[in-house]
Amino acid sequence: MNDLAERDRAVIWHPFTQMQTAPLPIPIVRGSGSVLYGADGREYLDMVSSWWVNIHGHAHPHIAQRVSEQLHTLEHVIFAGFTHQPAVELAERLLAILPANQSKVFYSDNGSTAVEVALKMAFQYWHNLGKPRKKIVAFENAYHGDTFGAMAVSGRSAFTAPFTPFLFDVVYLPVPIPGQEEIVLQQAEALFSEEVAAFIAEPLVQGAGGMVMYQPDVLDTLFRLARDKGALIIADEVMTGFGRTGKLFASDYLAEKPDMMCLSKGLTGGTMALGVTSCAESIYNAFLSDDKHKTLFHGHSFTANPLACTAALASMDVLLLSETQANIERITASHAAFANKLAAYPTVENIRQHGTLLAFDIKAGEQTSYFNNIRDTAYNFLLDRGILMRPLGNVLYMMPPYCTTDEQLAYTHEQIQAFLATL
Ligand SMILES: *Cc1c(COP(=O)(O)O)cnc(C)c1O
């Protein structure tokens, strides 16, 4: 068993991992529902939905069945000049549940590429109209992915530091967390101008930035201010999409609908890598021309891979079941009850929740960065007790698959409380 971990160490470089100091990785042999099974016989409750992708639990039989059938029918086909049933059906069904102004779907490979595509659409939209705009407005502390364009629109941090000279300039707005709304709106009024090509935001929750949450009304006002100057609105729903915040999309809480939306993570239920950038008709129309230069010159080898599209269709089947919707409500209620308990702990602050996502900060004195060792202490304490959570610095959060049972939630609550008792 450790054999596999050591073979891994000999040949593999892991994501977001300091390979010199990281412990050997834990070999996982199978998954079922919210449980991951280790090669050594240990079980882990996957309270982070395996980096936020796995919304229906592991090895879901319906998704497995559909992908397996598709695998024997058509595994892949070039997507320029050709099309296929899963891609068309997925676009139709996505547009049926996305905000009504979304009218076209562009496929790519993951969340970062979905953001890259949205940015390229935005810049080229203005280019094609013959009125180039160069500025992007983003939130401080945002996370939009790890490729260069996505990094550029993310907040500047230790993660982006080595690349800063190579990232295009972005103008930042502070996040309008409760209490800061007025200040942010004032800054926004000064900041949005007719030079702004687009405003990109993670609606309601900044994920990797520390599960920072804010309310829909202030985002609506910001979107309106941006729109008054003609700026395009990009909603990065890579993490918030597909039920995470309680509604199908965080944008469903908003009156101002985005011009472009980025989807990935939960899209295939965590089965395959797939990204989607959807857009309003007006964006699409700006690329229609007899002039070939107005084409959106972007694509990936695996664009609209039929297996990935099929996984997404099967995941959507499961998501729209009344049973799943009831589970989302059940987890939302469970989180709210646990939040009340957490409020009694003097070492806990900033308890916050949107739907099935619950987060809180551990009071950690001065040091509250990602590199704070409270993170490792909490991670190891919970892992030793069979719970997979990955605190973001001193921010603990629960983002379970929707099938997580009440017993599994209760066990997690007990262990979090046991951890808090050690502080
Ligand atoms: C994870 C994430 C991304 C990047 O997605 P990848 O599939 O990891 O490239 C982009 N935006 C948000 C909001 C994310 O949470």
Side-chain angles (χ1 to χ4, degrees), residues 8 65 79 129 135 178 185 206 257 270 285 290 296 302 308-309 320 356 397 400:
D8 172 295
Q65 167 86 29
F79 205 61
L129 292 188
K135 263 193 199 168
L185 289 175
Q206 291 190 313
K257 301 306 180 190
N285 285 344
D290 294 329
L296 180 63
F302 285 99
C309 290
L320 299 178
T356 66
Y397 67 91

Side-chain angles (χ1 to χ4, degrees), residues 336-349 351 360 417 420:
F338 185 50
N340 278 333
K341 283 196 193 162
L342 286 172
Y345 286 82
T347 47
V348 168
E349 61 187 354
I351 303 164
F360 58 93
Q417 288 177 291
L420 293 174

Side-chain angles (χ1 to χ4, degrees), residues 136 149 184 311 323 398:
I136 297 281
V184 177
E323 184 191 332
M398 289 174 68

Side-chain angles (χ1 to χ4, degrees), residues 305-351:
N305 174 261
L307 299 173
C309 290
T310 300
L313 283 165
S315 178
M316 204 189 304
D317 292 341
V318 179
L319 179 67
L320 299 178
L321 291 176
S322 56
E323 184 191 332
T324 307
Q325 292 302 311
N327 278 338
I328 290 173
E329 283 171 30
R330 178 178 55 81
I331 292 172
T332 301
S334 158
H335 280 351
F338 185 50
N340 278 333
K341 283 196 193 162
L342 286 172
Y345 286 82
T347 47
V348 168
E349 61 187 354
N350 293 331
I351 303 164

